[in-house]
Amino acid sequence: MTAFSHDCPSVTFTTEKEAADYILQTQVGGYVLASPKGDVLYISPAKTLKNMVKDMCKYISSARAPK
């Protein structure tokens, strides 16, 4: 949480799954960003927390950008 709040300040956090835009799932060998319905949106193969946060922040920023 600290890494996200430092490197990606536009991301807000909740423990309420129903109110979340994204669910972060940690797995051995990678991290998965999913929708609250369970759809896989992004898979980060990052091996370190710092790189995972960077990957996820970049994905979230691009997903929120107007098209």
Side-chain angles (χ1 to χ4, degrees):
M1 300 296 273
T2 302
F4 271 107
S5 63
H6 180 265
D7 294 340
C8 200
S10 65
V11 173
T12 56
F13 301 96
T14 182
T15 58
E16 299 297 323
K17 186 176 180 179
E18 299 79 24
D21 294 324
Y22 305 100
I23 307 294
L24 178 62
Q25 301 169 347
T26 59
Q27 301 174 351
V28 175
Y31 304 89
V32 175
L33 193 65
S35 72
K37 292 191 275 182
D39 299 322
V40 173
L41 304 172
Y42 181 76
I43 299 171
S44 172
K47 302 295 184 218
T48 66
L49 177 64
K50 180 179 178 180
N51 287 339
M52 181 275 292
V53 169
K54 182 173 69 171
D55 289 352
M56 294 297 177
C57 288
K58 184 176 178 181
Y59 174 82
I60 291 169
S61 294
S62 69
R64 289 183 175 175
K67 298 183 182 186

